[in-house]
């Protein structure tokens, strides 16, 4: 269970941890030894932990009674909690039956009590436990849910199951080998989740312009439309790439350097252009993406030239890339430096061919 928070006087408590029998409090400012202070507890946090922890005891006890599922560990998370059950499978029907049973016990207003036993008390052997810490000292604390469970525990708990309000089992997830994780919410977390879900539902109703029962079908239709648009857009980009390449090749005396940037393109778009133009004699520098932010680049041309220039191009664009057989491509972080790359390539061509 996570630690409590609050104030010692006006000083916030950042963390509490245990060292043997002592609770060590971490605070940002020094406190005067011997001073009388008022302790203020973050009750909302404490009560949330009480609800989740007592809820875990109840769920674990009932799961073992109904189905023989033993709890091997659990986690009290910030938004949801998880119980690890020692079974490879929990069916949807079992989850439903378990949820129904624990909520019936909440409505029965079953008392929850805490008692202490001596460390050598033989009764400890009859109480459910995962063992005591090696540095434990003093009496042993037992939390009893009347008629349902007795468990060794040092956590904070409610005094009656009615304080749990309600338990919602969100389903199961695959756990470690031959284990299953049962996800759950208790009390106020159920109310908060419903409120969040309702807000999301209202927003979707406005955006999709239909009722909650039609949201899923509306999203499926939108997904289908987007896929079709993406497919059509890709086909158009391919056609544009071919036309750009053919236009370049149709010129009487094509230049030895071809530079092109297109915001909407992708890697395939660049490679189509390179394939259509051919790279035996022409050096191509192609880029796609945001003109001033990140994007993709392709340097294609004679093998020796690309091997020499590729890493330098990536460095200028603050990017990374790799190449083989006359092509060097990768990701660029600073597309705004495309002009510097073009100048580098032009200078290289000028030295290779002074008349260019």
């Amino acid at each position: 269970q996570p630690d409590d928070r609050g104030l010692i006087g006006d000083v916030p408590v950042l963390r509490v941890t245990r060292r043997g029998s002592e609770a060590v409090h971490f605070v940002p400012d020094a406190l005067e030894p011997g001073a009388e202070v008022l302790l203020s507890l973050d009750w909302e946090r404490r009560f949330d932990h009480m609800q989740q922890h007592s809820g875990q005891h109840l769920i674990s006890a009932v799961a073992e009674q109904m189905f023989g599922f033993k709890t091997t560990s659990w986690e009290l998370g910030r938004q949801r909690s998880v119980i690890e059950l020692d079974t490879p499978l929990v069916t949807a029907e079992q989850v439903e039956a378990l949820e129904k049973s624990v909520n019936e016990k909440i409505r029965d207003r079953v008392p929850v009590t805490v008692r202490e036993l001596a460390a050598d008390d033989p009764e400890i052997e009859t109480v459910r436990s995962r063992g005591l810490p090696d540095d434990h000292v003093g009496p042993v604390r037992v939390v009893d849910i009347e008629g349902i469970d007795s468990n060794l525990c040092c956590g904070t708990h409610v005094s009656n199951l009615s304080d749990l309000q309600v338990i919602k089992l969100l389903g199961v997830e695959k756990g470690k080998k031959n284990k299953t994780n049962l996800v759950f919410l208790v009390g106020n977390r159920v109310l908060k989740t419903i409120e969040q879900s309702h807000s999301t539902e209202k927003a979707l109703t406005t955006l999709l312009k239909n009722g909650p029962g039609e949201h899923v079908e509306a999203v499926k239709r939108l997904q289908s439309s987007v896929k079709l648009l993406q497919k059509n857009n890709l086909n158009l980009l391919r056609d544009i790439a071919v036309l750009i390449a053919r236009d370049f090749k149709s010129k009487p005396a094509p230049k030895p350097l071809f530079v092109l940037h297109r915001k909407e393109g992708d890697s395939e778009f660049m490679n189509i252009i390179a394939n259509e133009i051919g790279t035996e004699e022409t050096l191509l520098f192609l880029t796609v993406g945001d003109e001033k932010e990140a994007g993709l680049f392709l340097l294609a041309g004679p093998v020796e030239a690309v091997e020499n220039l590729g890493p330098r191009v990536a460095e200028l664009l603050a990017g990374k890339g790799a190449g083989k057989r006359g092509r060097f491509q990768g990701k660029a972080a600073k597309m705004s430096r495309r002009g510097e790359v073009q100048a580098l390539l032009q200078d290289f061509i000028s030295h290779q061919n002074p008349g260019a």
Side-chain angles (χ1 to χ4, degrees), residues 334-351:
K334 296 185 178 180
M335 296 291 280
S336 57
R337 293 183 177 176
R338 288 179 292 112
E340 297 177 42
V341 175
Q342 186 172 347
L344 169 70
L345 301 180
Q346 190 65 60
D347 182 65
F348 175 83
I349 291 174
S350 298
H351 282 83

Side-chain angles (χ1 to χ4, degrees), residues 193-203:
T193 300
I194 291 174
E195 182 179 355
Q196 292 169 354
S197 298
H198 183 60
S199 296
T200 301
E201 187 178 274
K202 286 172 63 179

Side-chain angles (χ1 to χ4, degrees), residues 227-293:
K227 286 181 181 178
L228 181 60
L229 288 171
Q230 288 174 333
K231 182 179 179 180
N232 292 338
N233 183 58
L234 182 60
N235 289 333
L236 288 172
L237 276 174
R238 288 171 177 165
D239 292 342
I240 291 171
V242 172
L243 291 172
I244 288 172
R246 289 178 179 176
D247 178 66
F248 175 79
K249 292 174 68 177
S250 68
K251 297 189 181 333
K255 296 181 179 180
L257 175 63
F258 179 74
V259 177
L260 176 74
H261 174 79
R262 190 176 187 91
K263 187 174 182 178
E264 303 82 8
D266 57 12
S267 293
E268 185 179 7
F269 172 78
M270 295 188 292
N271 278 291
I272 289 174
I273 293 176
N275 291 338
E276 288 290 327
I277 291 179
T279 57
E280 293 80 6
E281 299 178 358
T282 304
L283 188 62
L284 295 89
F285 174 53
L286 309 174
T287 53
V288 295
D290 194 298
E291 292 88 345
K292 296 181 180 180
E293 299 294 334

Side-chain angles (χ1 to χ4, degrees), residues 127-142:
V127 177
R128 190 161 61 90
S129 168
R130 295 202 305 272
L132 291 169
D134 294 336
D135 60 350
H136 174 80
V137 294
V140 175
R141 194 164 175 268
V142 179

Side-chain angles (χ1 to χ4, degrees), residues 286-317:
L286 309 174
T287 53
V288 295
D290 194 298
E291 292 88 345
K292 296 181 180 180
E293 299 294 334
L296 305 175
F297 72 91
L298 169 65
L299 181 69
V303 174
E304 186 176 344
V306 171
E307 287 179 352
N308 178 28
L309 294 167
R312 295 164 66 186
V313 170
E315 183 180 359
L316 278 174
L317 296 174

